[in-house]
């Protein structure tokens, strides 16, 4: 029984993740958010057992049952990530529960919203190689407002001190310089805007750690792709950067990695 509640929380997160997939795959596509889910190639409507998060993808072995078109790996990745994030959020803020159910609920809702928008950005950037303004602007707004809302008497993560407000532009600065120097070749301006939100969310110490971690994982995956693709890897091959930025953010947030602790290993 001790695993029952964590499993339920994880599964609830994967269901949330499949709603995020609907947004990722229909946003700006001309398709509304209503109507039934269907195969993007042969348009066949999906039955209920083909809409179960993660398991349907595994059961169908990643292919449409009718036309055998591969189903995007983005679906199970987003579902699994939201499940794992929700579980980690609940366990992180569980210590609030005996103190105040309201504060617990506030933190879970606040960070679930932030990570949900981030996962939509990840999926959208993988698919379309762009970060839509109508996702990243609300994210900047919510993380900024959060600076003024996370102060509960003695319980606060970081308050809206001048440092916390400056952390947004400060964390975005290195990416802005890379963007300006490469004239947008190495990363997009959307990544710069995303980093502002990451700075507001994490503060400067953890925000810079998120940057460092995203550069490391990005470089690692980049080298790995060049090795497995060999000569097929072209100079023009473009890796979206937002997934790495957000992966770094998840690590820095949940493991409380600061840039000083990270660089202290050297
Ligand atoms: Zn199909």
């Amino acid at each position: 029984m001790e695993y029952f509640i964590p499993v339920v929380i994880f599964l609830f997160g994967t269901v949330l993740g499949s709603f995020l997939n609907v947004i990722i795959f229909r946003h700006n596509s001309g398709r509304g958010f209503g109507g039934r889910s269907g195969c993007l190639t042969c348009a066949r409507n999906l039955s209920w057992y083909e809409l179960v998060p993660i398991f349907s993808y595994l059961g169908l072995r990643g292919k449409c049952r009718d036309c055998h078109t591969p189903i995007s790996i983005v679906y199970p990745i987003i579902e699994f990530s939201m499940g794992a994030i929700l579980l980690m959020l609940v366990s992180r803020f569980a210590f609030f529960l005996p103190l105040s159910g309201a504060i617990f609920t506030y933190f879970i809702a606040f960070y679930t919203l932030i990570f949900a928008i981030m996962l939509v950005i990840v999926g959208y950037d993988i698919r379309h190689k762009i970060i839509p303004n109508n996702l990243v602007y609300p994210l900047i707004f919510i993380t900024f407002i959060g600076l003024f809302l996370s102060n509960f008497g003695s319980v606060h993560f970081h308050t809206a001190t001048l440092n916390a407000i400056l952390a947004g532009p400060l964390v975005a600065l290195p990416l802005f310089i890379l963007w300006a120097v490469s004239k947008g070749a190495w990363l997009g301006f959307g990544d710069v805007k995303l980093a502002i939100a990451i700075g507001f969310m994490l503060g400067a110490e953890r925000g810079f750690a998120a940057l460092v971690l995203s550069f490391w994982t990005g470089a690692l995956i980049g080298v790995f792709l060049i090795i497995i693709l060999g000569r097929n890897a072209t100079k023009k091959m473009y890796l979206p950067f937002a997934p790495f930025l957000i992966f770094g953010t998840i690590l820095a947030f949940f493991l409380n990695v600061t840039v000083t602790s990270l660089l202290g290993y050297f």
Side-chain angles (χ1 to χ4, degrees):
M1 277 304 281
E2 60 180 316
Y3 294 115
F4 180 71
I5 290 173
V7 166
V8 168
I9 292 167
F10 175 81
L11 291 179
F12 184 76
T14 64
V15 172
L16 207 59
S18 62
F19 283 111
L20 300 181
N21 278 324
V22 173
I23 300 173
I24 291 167
F25 284 83
R26 295 189 184 187
H27 189 75
N28 292 350
S29 70
R31 294 180 71 194
F33 293 108
R36 299 195 46 188
S37 296
C39 169
L40 291 177
T41 304
C42 69
R44 192 177 66 84
N45 279 337
L46 301 181
S47 337
W48 66 267
Y49 59 85
E50 290 168 294
L51 294 169
V52 183
I54 302 173
F55 294 101
S56 291
Y57 183 87
L58 298 176
L60 294 165
R61 292 192 185 81
K63 289 194 182 90
C64 170
R65 201 158 54 96
D66 271 8
C67 69
H68 305 292
T69 305
I71 301 167
S72 173
I73 187 84
V74 167
Y75 285 104
I77 289 176
I78 297 295
E79 286 157 357
F80 176 84
S81 303
M82 198 63 237
I85 285 169
L86 189 64
L87 188 56
M88 289 189 291
L89 281 176
V90 170
S91 63
R92 176 179 190 139
F93 294 111
F95 73 96
F96 275 132
L97 262 177
L99 304 166
S100 162
I103 294 179
F104 171 79
T105 309
Y106 164 74
F107 275 110
I108 299 297
F110 179 72
Y111 284 110
T112 300
L113 180 63
I114 286 178
F115 281 115
I117 298 173
M118 284 184 167
L119 286 183
V120 173
I121 288 175
V122 167
Y124 203 85
D125 198 27
I126 291 174
R127 272 176 65 78
H128 303 288
K129 316 227 179 324
I130 193 159
I131 302 176
N133 279 336
N134 55 13
L135 291 172
V136 76
Y137 286 152
L139 189 66
I140 292 173
F141 179 75
I142 294 165
T143 50
F144 182 75
I145 292 300
L147 294 177
F148 300 88
L149 296 180
S150 358
N151 196 351
F152 296 99
S154 59
V155 190
H156 54 86
F157 279 72
H158 55 265
T159 41
T161 58
L162 188 62
N163 282 350
I165 293 169
L166 286 178
L170 210 58
V171 169
L173 187 64
L175 296 191
F176 177 78
I177 292 169
L178 289 176
W179 173 80
V181 166
S182 72
K183 297 187 174 71
W186 296 338
L187 42 91
F189 196 65
D191 299 310
V192 179
K193 291 182 242 178
L194 176 58
I196 298 175
I198 292 170
F200 287 147
M201 175 193 183
L202 298 177
E205 276 272 355
R206 293 186 301 164
F208 282 123
L211 286 192
V212 172
L213 290 167
S214 67
F215 285 131
W216 285 352
T217 45
L220 210 66
I221 300 286
V223 168
F224 177 73
L225 282 177
I226 288 167
I227 290 169
I228 58 165
L229 291 176
R231 282 197 298 168
N232 291 328
T234 64
K235 277 186 180 167
K236 288 218 162 156
M237 194 176 66
Y238 178 81
L239 265 186
F241 192 49
F244 299 109
L245 270 178
I246 288 166
F247 182 68
T249 301
I250 292 170
L251 288 184
F253 179 82
F254 286 107
L255 302 176
N256 261 324
V257 189
T258 61
V259 71
T260 35
S261 69
L262 207 55
L263 300 178
Y265 289 115
F266 292 99

